[in-house]
Amino acid sequence: MTLAAATPTLASTRQALAESFRKAGIDSAEADARLLIAHALGIDRSELIANGTRMLNAREMQAIDALAARRLKHEPVARILGTKEFWSLMLDVTPAVLVPRPDTETVVEAALDFVVRDGLRMQRLRILDIGTGSGALLLALLSELPDALGTGTDISTAALAVARGNAERHGLSSRCSFVACDIAAGLPGPFDLIVSNPPYVAHGDIATLAPEVRDYDPIIALDGGSDGLDGYRAIAADARRLLAPGGRLIVELGAGQEDAVRALLTKAGLTVDKARDDLGGIARALSVTVAP
Ligand code: GLN
């Protein structure tokens, strides 16, 4: 693609790029154009808006073109930038981790609800994040709970390296540790709060996902087995062992999975609360306790 115009300015380039993204069926065309141009030029958003009449030179246009070509192949902006904001924390992302989604903030909200309702905010809560990836859930919770201690697990050591880096970046590394294991195998527990966004896409549905997800998120973070529920089964099997008395487990749900996940958690001897919806009105977080 070339954005060459007779007199390319910041504003005309931004418009042309947004238009090419729109034509390619990219939903967030305007925002993506802004973010990628700002990144290519090393300027911030306010400069981009304020200096619309600034002329761009050939080198700058090339830098923008190179990023635009990646986005037109449906590489997510977060992957091109190498960062994604989650719960107001800027997190590094690499090909080893899922890009954290706004939907997942519903799990943070549900967890904080439980903590605040039970008056536990200033307690030395022991938190476990199963399949932590970039560390998004664990670090968001530690950033809100000043005395809590956290453990993040992941089967991918490359993912754990990203999570560790993010913990350091936000000054949280003294309160967390990371363990390479499948689900929580070998972890002693107990934990007061367990969160997880497990892989939950049914194997056969992976091909139907948006290319941004299918072609760029690590398959291991998406593939939940033949019915998408393998991750929940593994968590259910370990939950009673891992939860402290009065503790809570909160899992993210894929769209339409509430009934099936509720059934399998109940069968494992757990008590399941009403689901919490995400901003799109989809049941997104299930909160679970051990039946007394
Ligand atoms: N939210 C991802 C999707 O686009 C799936 C993430 C997961 O499997 N936990 O479907």
Side-chain angles (χ1 to χ4, degrees), residues 98 101 103 197-201 209 213 217 221-223 252 284:
L98 197 80
R101 318 271 203 266
D103 302 337
N197 173 17
Y200 56 58
V201 182
L209 297 174
V213 177
D217 275 323
L222 298 174
D223 191 342
E252 175 165 333
R284 190 59 75 184

Side-chain angles (χ1 to χ4, degrees), residues 147-170:
D147 292 313
L149 300 174
T151 303
T153 70
D154 209 290
I155 199 163
S156 157
T157 53
L160 290 174
V162 177
R164 275 194 196 97
N166 283 325
E168 246 156 61
R169 175 178 183 149
H170 293 288

Side-chain angles (χ1 to χ4, degrees), residues 12 99 116 125 138 165 200 242 253 272 292:
S12 70
V99 171
V116 170
L125 289 178
L138 183 64
Y200 56 58
L242 291 169
L253 298 169
V272 186

Side-chain angles (χ1 to χ4, degrees), residues 31 48 51 63-64 69 78-79 100 107 110 119 121 126 128 136 141 155 166 179 205 219 233 236 258 268-269 285:
L48 180 66
N51 298 339
I64 294 168
R79 297 225 176 264
V107 176
R121 187 166 175 273
R126 295 156 295 182
L128 171 64
L141 289 168
I155 199 163
N166 283 325
V179 179
D205 291 344
I219 282 293
R233 283 189 197 93
E258 180 183 355

Side-chain angles (χ1 to χ4, degrees), residues 227 255 279:
D227 62 359
L279 291 173

